[in-house]
Amino acid sequence: MKVFRLDDLDAERAANQGAYLRFLKERTMSAGLYALKAGENDPQQPHGQDEVYLVVSGRAAITVGEETTTVARGSVVYVPAGTAHRFHHITEDLRVVVVFSPPEP
């Protein structure tokens, strides 16, 4: 078993001065914490893996392909591999747990 505490992960991510912290990489999947400040731009490019986002705090819009929706704490979004996507109109600091399958390189 591996157990992670969100506040500890967020502190480690901030200490490394990055928006993303990968905290788990296994044979068939990986997971990370992604954080963007209110008003910040999301520079993501399409990934080669399927993704699931779980919003743990904040508010924003997300566009996946041609579809756009708003997300907040508790929202779960699936993004198919290779699909353009990004968070935008971030009105409250956003923290998102990201699961990739297969694992990100």
Side-chain angles (χ1 to χ4, degrees), residues 19-100:
Y20 183 72
L21 171 72
R22 181 173 61 196
F23 60 87
L24 179 69
K25 184 172 182 182
E26 297 295 332
R27 187 177 56 80
T28 60
M29 50 91 61
S30 62
L33 178 64
Y34 190 45
L36 296 166
K37 294 183 186 297
E40 192 172 0
N41 290 322
D42 181 3
Q44 290 192 79
Q45 298 294 317
H47 301 98
Q49 306 83 9
D50 287 340
E51 296 177 75
V52 173
Y53 289 112
L54 168 61
V55 178
V56 294
S57 64
R59 289 189 177 281
I62 187 171
T63 298
V64 177
E66 299 295 319
E67 297 181 85
T68 299
T69 191
T70 57
V71 293
R73 183 178 170 270
S75 297
V76 178
V77 179
Y78 166 69
V79 179
T83 303
H85 61 286
R86 69 181 184 90
F87 291 97
H88 52 93
H89 296 94
I90 302 168
T91 58
E92 295 177 13
D93 291 356
L94 193 63
R95 288 192 312 169
V96 182
V97 172
V98 186
V99 178
F100 289 97

Side-chain angles (χ1 to χ4, degrees), residues 9-22:
L9 295 173
D10 201 32
E12 183 180 347
R13 181 201 55 76
N16 289 315
Q17 300 178 339
Y20 183 72
L21 171 72
R22 181 173 61 196

